[in-house]
């Protein structure tokens, strides 16, 4: 039984990773910080000495680094915090994984691209438009330069079984529609919402690949395109709210610059015949419906 350590295990993606790796027979250790409750281990990843001691005690075969500051506007307003979590922690974990000869996966983002020439392959030139994307692009280089078998996993905007609707940039739209607190929604940026369970299932498959294809960069993304306004219309229909009360914002309107369209090609996964996907509209409704009824 392989032992897998998952950082950010209290987050949306982290919870899915813990559950699905457990279901697939791995010995799972999850770490978190502000929301950590047993069996999740409370671990401050910025305390490098403590982290090294923890790794020496647990001796993981696989490390999946999912913890990050992921909100672009927060990153833009707090560079020091973002660099500590997205860069310093990544560098330390990457080096420790190499020292322990552990397989290392770094969760990155489609925001490493500028969104001007989609779709993007794994080898396309990076050009992030905001500080979040910059730190993720730098984190990728750190990981890839540390060890040739380390792996970067680029993902788009994520959704799944949320604890609160505000937990995902996708499900928060349903909350806004329900509260009618925000009737104007972005209709400019094209996103490819991907279910966290599909990311987790893909990583399980990659952990079971035993040939030389592991290492380097993988794109893991669904291919169904939506704007936030289009998702708001789906939520409105579910809530039986008149869609005409919603209005599209057809130009960029947020603090941190966003790319227009960062469609990711998953060509390396296709070569390995790894594919996990689900129809977005039904999956989105299944995620938000239990919380919309409260």
């Amino acid at each position: 039984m392989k032992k897998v350590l998952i950082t950010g295990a209290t987050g949306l993606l982290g919870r899915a990773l813990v559950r699905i790796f457990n279901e697939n027979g791995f010995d799972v250790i999850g770490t978190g910080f502000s929301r950590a409750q047993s069996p999740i281990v409370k671990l401050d990843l910025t305390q490098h000495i403590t982290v090294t001691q923890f790794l020496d005690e647990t001796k993981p075969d696989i490390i999946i680094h999912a913890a990050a500051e992921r909100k672009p506007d927060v990153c833009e307003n707090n560079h020091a915090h973002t660099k500590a979590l997205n860069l310093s922690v990544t560098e330390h974990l990457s080096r420790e994984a190499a020292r322990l000869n552990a397989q290392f996966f770094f969760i990155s983002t489609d925001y490493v691209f500028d969104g001007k020439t989609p779709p993007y392959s794994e080898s396309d030139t990076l050009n992030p438009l905001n500080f979040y994307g910059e730190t993720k692009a730098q984190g990728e280089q750190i990981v890839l330069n540390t060890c040739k078998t380390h792996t970067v996993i680029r993902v788009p905007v994520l959704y799944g079984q949320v604890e609160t609707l505000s937990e995902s940039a996708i499900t928060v739209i349903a909350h806004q529609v329900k509260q009618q607190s925000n009737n104007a929604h972005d209709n400019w940026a094209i996103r490819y919402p991907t279910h966290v369970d599909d990311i987790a299932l893909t990583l399980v498959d990659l952990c079971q690949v035993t040939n030389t294809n592991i290492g380097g960069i993988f794109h893991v993304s669904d291919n169904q395109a939506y704007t936030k306004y289009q998702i708001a219309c789906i939520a409105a229909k579910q809530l039986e709210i008149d869609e005409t009360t919603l209005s599209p914002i057809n130009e960029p309107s947020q603090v941190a610059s966003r790319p227009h369209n960062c469609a990711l090609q998953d060509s390396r996964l296709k070569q390995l015949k790894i594919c996990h996907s689900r129809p977005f509209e039904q999956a989105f409704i299944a995620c938000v419906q239990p919380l919309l009824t409260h």
Side-chain angles (χ1 to χ4, degrees):
M1 183 186 294
K2 283 191 173 182
K3 185 182 291 184
V4 57
L5 173 70
I6 297 165
T7 71
T10 58
L12 179 61
L13 175 59
R15 295 196 306 272
L17 288 166
V18 168
R19 174 170 46 81
I20 286 174
F21 270 81
N22 268 318
E23 289 171 356
N24 281 274
F26 289 80
D27 179 8
V28 179
I29 303 166
T31 76
F33 187 58
S34 60
R35 292 187 286 174
Q37 293 182 339
S38 182
I40 303 301
V41 178
K42 185 169 185 175
L43 183 67
D44 184 348
L45 296 175
T46 65
Q47 300 301 307
H48 294 176
I49 294 173
T50 304
V51 171
T52 295
Q53 291 170 343
F54 182 74
L55 291 171
D56 284 338
E57 290 167 7
T58 54
K59 295 182 173 59
D61 302 297
I62 302 160
I63 298 173
I64 302 175
H65 182 33
E69 179 48 70
R70 60 174 181 79
K71 295 179 180 176
D73 291 345
V74 173
C75 294
E76 215 68 33
N77 292 319
N78 195 337
H79 283 201
H81 163 74
T82 303
K83 286 167 74 173
L85 195 52
N86 292 4
L87 289 178
S88 297
V89 167
T90 298
E91 181 171 16
H92 183 243
L93 286 174
S94 180
R95 288 179 175 175
E96 289 297 287
R99 179 179 67 85
L100 296 167
N101 198 29
Q103 200 171 0
F104 187 75
F105 292 91
F106 172 61
I107 306 299
S108 189
T109 173
D110 57 349
Y111 274 20
V112 297
F113 298 112
D114 60 19
K116 296 175 182 176
T117 55
Y120 291 95
S121 72
E122 292 86 350
S123 59
D124 279 340
T125 303
L126 309 188
N127 186 31
L129 299 182
N130 55 44
F131 192 68
Y132 167 63
E134 287 175 21
T135 60
K136 281 299 193 176
Q138 291 170 32
E140 288 187 6
Q141 284 307 304
I142 289 168
V143 169
L144 297 172
N145 290 338
T146 300
C147 181
K148 66 179 181 180
T149 58
H150 283 1
T151 305
V152 168
I153 303 290
R154 291 189 189 132
V155 301
V157 65
L158 302 178
Y159 72 103
Q161 295 300 325
V162 291
E163 293 179 344
T164 65
L165 290 173
S166 62
E167 194 173 19
S168 160
I170 297 301
T171 56
V172 72
I173 298 168
H175 177 71
Q176 292 166 345
V177 172
K178 181 185 180 184
Q179 299 297 319
Q180 299 189 30
S181 59
N182 178 15
N183 290 333
H185 299 270
D186 179 76
N187 196 41
W188 178 80
I190 300 168
R191 308 303 302 275
Y192 296 83
T194 301
H195 200 291
V196 287
D197 285 15
D198 292 331
I199 304 290
L201 289 165
T202 300
L203 281 166
V204 165
D205 286 347
L206 286 174
C207 286
Q208 294 170 338
V209 172
T210 55
N211 59 28
T212 56
N213 284 310
I214 294 304
I217 300 165
F218 284 87
H219 287 174
V220 186
S221 174
D222 216 318
N223 58 9
Q224 300 161 86
Y226 289 88
T227 66
K228 288 186 175 181
Y229 170 73
Q230 290 171 327
I231 295 169
C233 289
I234 294 171
K237 182 179 177 182
Q238 181 67 21
L239 289 161
E240 298 181 343
I241 291 173
D242 185 355
E243 289 178 32
T244 62
T245 63
L246 306 177
S247 58
I249 304 172
N250 295 317
E251 57 187 19
S253 61
Q254 291 161 305
V255 173
S257 298
R258 262 72 165 180
H260 174 57
N261 183 348
C262 285
L264 299 175
Q265 289 181 317
D266 56 352
S267 53
R268 289 192 72 198
L269 287 181
K270 281 190 172 71
Q271 290 170 5
L272 294 170
K273 295 182 170 55
I274 295 173
C275 179
H276 297 280
S277 178
R278 64 195 67 202
F280 171 73
E281 187 166 339
Q282 295 95 309
F284 169 68
I285 290 169
C287 290
V288 299
Q289 195 167 33
L291 294 170
L292 288 175
T293 54
H294 294 310

